[in-house]
Amino acid sequence: MVKRLDIESIRSAILQELHSTSCIPKNCEATGSQLQELLLNTIDRGEGNSVILVGPRGSGKSALTNQTLSMAKKVCKNPFIMVYLNGFVCVDDQQALKEIAKQLCPKEELSEVNLGSFASTMTFLLETLNSGDKERQSVVFILDEFDLFTQHHNQHLLYNLFDLSQSKSTPLAVIGLTCRQDIMELMEKRVKSRFSHRQFFLYGPTSIDQYIEIATDILSPNTISSTEWKSHVSKVFSSPSNKIRTYLERIYNYNRSIQTLKNCLTWAVVELTADKPKLNEELLEEKLIEFFKDNKATMIRSLSKLECCLLISIARLSTKYANQPFNLEMALHEYNEFVTFEGGKMAAIPNQSLAVTALEKLVSCQLVRVLSSRQSKVQRSYKLMYLNIDLVDFMTIVKTCNLPANAQKWAQSTLNF
């Protein structure tokens, strides 16, 4: 049994590991070496470079970049300046330039610059970056959510950064992070002409064994010296009959994000105490039930009878016309046919405004999706939409809704077209 003091230190060490960015799949090690060599060429040899890391969320792009930058600080002979920009924060080039100026320049220099205009800020930054020589500190730009920067007007910022990375005035590296596989198609031709066309693709853990290996490394960090705890963790994940391993396989099949894995493991780690010094299977099972809980099922059960019947009409249209788009008029026609068939046992929708309100509720719950944002001039009754939930799942959920028997029968006949 692990001692009380050991459990507290173990829990603290694991929680620190869970909140760190050091968990990187081993299949990304080669990419990390290439990225480190690229930074070494920029910082120590004065070469300009640009690269984009492409991969789904949770695949380790940010973690790999942070780890490589930390390693560069230890390995590289020369110091460097890091500038971090996020596409969600820097919504346009002017905002991005202000952020660069704040991170790149001392406050006394920054106070002399007029940051109110795009032209003056760009001029100042270009002069600052171009005024150096080979002995000047290198600059490493990290552009998180890189695809959002391509939406800026004329992509001036990207063009100038890539252009500077090819000049000899200031050693500069640009590292972009994005989830978009089609990122090259989003860049303008003149921007692509300045880009190195170097892309590193990250895929996260590619097998359940790699996924479980990451979980084992998280729960057994090097800061823990207790061999008894490490033996317990190894036994938990090596046993095929263990429930925790089974739950991790379910998470892997649902979402391979490392961050999702960390969130699930945190639930089990926070419950470690002197009385419960082992990983709690029951608690993890309870939290995983919440994790896999279908939020759409809860939303459908909360709908009014009118909204639910309108959703059934939409589901019937999706089945009848092989998932083709529909509009509100088609859904109302389908519902009115049902009312007529029932001979007045079901109430008709009294006016159009109620139907529009009900449909907007379905859209806000993401049960129905508008086909395109280009329909702004189209009347609401004629906007094309799609059903945004699996039909089989919907039929299963409808059975638990509080609907009249004839409406339930009408709903269950949807899949019989």
Side-chain angles (χ1 to χ4, degrees):
M1 186 66 66
V2 183
K3 296 179 181 179
R4 180 183 182 86
L5 183 60
D6 290 336
I7 277 295
E8 292 179 355
S9 61
I10 286 171
R11 181 177 58 191
S12 176
I14 296 175
L15 289 175
Q16 186 175 357
E17 183 73 12
L18 286 166
H19 289 88
S20 71
T21 57
S22 59
C23 303
I24 301 172
K26 290 190 175 180
N27 58 352
C28 297
E29 290 179 354
T31 303
S33 299
Q34 290 177 308
L35 187 60
Q36 185 174 330
E37 182 66 22
L38 183 147
L39 289 175
L40 185 66
N41 290 337
T42 299
I43 298 168
D44 286 347
R45 298 165 191 161
E47 298 178 5
N49 283 295
S50 56
V51 63
I52 297 178
L53 303 186
V54 184
R57 298 193 185 281
S59 58
K61 299 186 296 297
S62 298
L64 181 66
T65 303
N66 293 335
Q67 189 181 79
T68 306
L69 288 168
S70 299
M71 188 65 66
K73 292 178 181 178
K74 300 176 183 177
V75 175
C76 294
K77 300 176 183 178
N78 301 324
F80 64 93
I81 302 171
M82 190 183 76
V83 177
Y84 176 83
L85 303 175
N86 190 296
F88 286 122
V89 178
C90 303
V91 295
D92 54 35
D93 281 351
Q94 185 172 352
Q95 185 75 27
L97 287 175
K98 289 181 181 179
E99 189 62 33
I100 293 172
K102 291 176 183 177
Q103 296 185 41
L104 199 58
C105 307
K107 290 184 178 180
E108 51 271 16
E109 290 184 26
L110 195 61
S111 60
E112 301 174 3
V113 184
N114 176 22
L115 296 180
S117 66
F118 178 88
S120 62
T121 309
M122 175 59 81
T123 302
F124 170 74
L125 289 175
L126 291 177
E127 289 176 353
T128 302
L129 293 172
N130 282 316
S131 62
D133 51 30
K134 290 185 178 180
E135 301 301 322
R136 186 176 177 83
Q137 284 192 25
S138 304
V139 183
V140 179
F141 282 86
I142 312 297
L143 304 184
D144 205 352
E145 305 296 340
F146 182 86
D147 51 288
L148 297 180
F149 288 96
T150 65
Q151 299 177 14
H152 295 183
H153 181 63
N154 291 333
Q155 300 182 3
H156 285 308
L157 177 69
L158 295 181
Y159 176 81
N160 283 282
L161 287 179
F162 288 150
D163 188 53
L164 285 169
S165 69
Q166 293 187 347
S167 67
K168 296 181 180 180
S169 56
T170 299
L172 186 143
V174 181
I175 303 174
L177 312 178
T178 182
C179 302
R180 297 287 297 269
Q181 298 281 343
D182 59 342
I183 187 62
M184 293 300 298
E185 304 301 323
L186 300 178
M187 289 190 282
E188 293 182 0
K189 187 175 181 180
R190 68 190 187 105
V191 177
K192 286 192 281 189
S193 69
R194 296 295 187 271
F195 177 52
S196 66
H197 290 258
R198 187 186 289 112
Q199 297 182 74
F200 295 156
F201 292 90
L202 282 75
Y203 302 101
T206 55
S207 66
I208 183 61
D209 291 331
Q210 285 185 5
Y211 196 71
I212 290 177
E213 186 177 356
I214 292 172
T216 305
D217 292 341
I218 293 173
L219 295 175
S220 304
N222 296 329
T223 51
I224 294 179
S225 58
S226 173
T227 55
E228 187 178 351
W229 171 259
K230 292 184 177 181
S231 175
H232 165 60
V233 172
S234 177
K235 184 178 179 181
V236 164
F237 293 113
S238 61
S239 173
S241 60
N242 191 282
K243 287 184 179 180
I244 293 181
R245 181 187 174 95
T246 305
Y247 297 148
L248 289 180
E249 288 179 359
R250 287 186 63 192
I251 298 171
Y252 173 79
N253 293 327
Y254 178 81
N255 185 340
R256 301 184 183 185
S257 168
I258 298 174
Q259 188 57 51
T260 302
L261 172 63
K262 287 183 175 182
N263 293 341
C264 294
L265 291 178
T266 301
W267 295 329
V269 173
V270 294
E271 295 296 320
L272 291 175
T273 61
D275 298 328
K276 298 178 181 179
K278 295 185 178 181
L279 296 174
N280 193 329
E281 297 179 8
E282 290 75 17
L283 176 70
L284 192 58
E285 180 180 14
E286 177 186 341
K287 295 299 182 181
L288 282 174
I289 290 173
E290 294 181 12
F291 178 79
F292 288 105
K293 189 177 180 180
D294 190 354
N295 293 327
K296 288 186 177 180
T298 305
M299 286 188 288
I300 290 174
R301 294 189 188 100
S302 67
L303 297 176
S304 66
K305 291 182 180 179
L306 169 61
E307 293 161 350
C308 198
C309 287
L310 188 62
L311 190 58
I312 294 171
S313 301
I314 293 168
R316 291 176 66 86
L317 288 173
S318 296
T319 306
K320 189 184 295 185
Y321 299 111
N323 295 321
Q324 291 298 310
F326 66 91
N327 57 36
L328 179 58
E329 289 295 329
M330 295 170 65
L332 288 177
H333 178 73
E334 184 72 22
Y335 178 72
N336 290 332
E337 281 189 350
F338 168 63
V339 172
T340 304
F341 178 78
E342 289 295 321
K345 294 180 181 178
M346 289 292 294
I349 299 177
N351 56 63
Q352 188 83 358
S353 61
L354 278 177
V356 170
T357 303
L359 183 63
E360 288 176 349
K361 173 69 178 295
L362 299 180
V363 172
S364 66
C365 292
Q366 298 183 4
L367 300 171
V368 172
R369 177 169 55 89
V370 180
L371 179 59
S372 173
S373 58
R374 298 178 182 178
Q375 303 182 74
S376 56
K377 296 182 181 180
V378 180
Q379 294 182 14
R380 287 183 292 183
S381 300
Y382 297 98
K383 285 185 178 181
L384 295 178
M385 303 182 183
Y386 277 110
L387 182 67
N388 200 30
I389 183 172
D390 183 75
L391 279 171
V392 177
D393 291 343
F394 174 63
M395 292 300 106
T396 305
I397 296 168
V398 166
K399 290 180 181 179
T400 63
C401 295
N402 185 22
L403 290 174
N406 50 355
Q408 284 281 8
K409 185 177 180 181
W410 179 52
Q412 297 307 318
S413 66
T414 298
L415 297 177
N416 297 330
F417 283 114

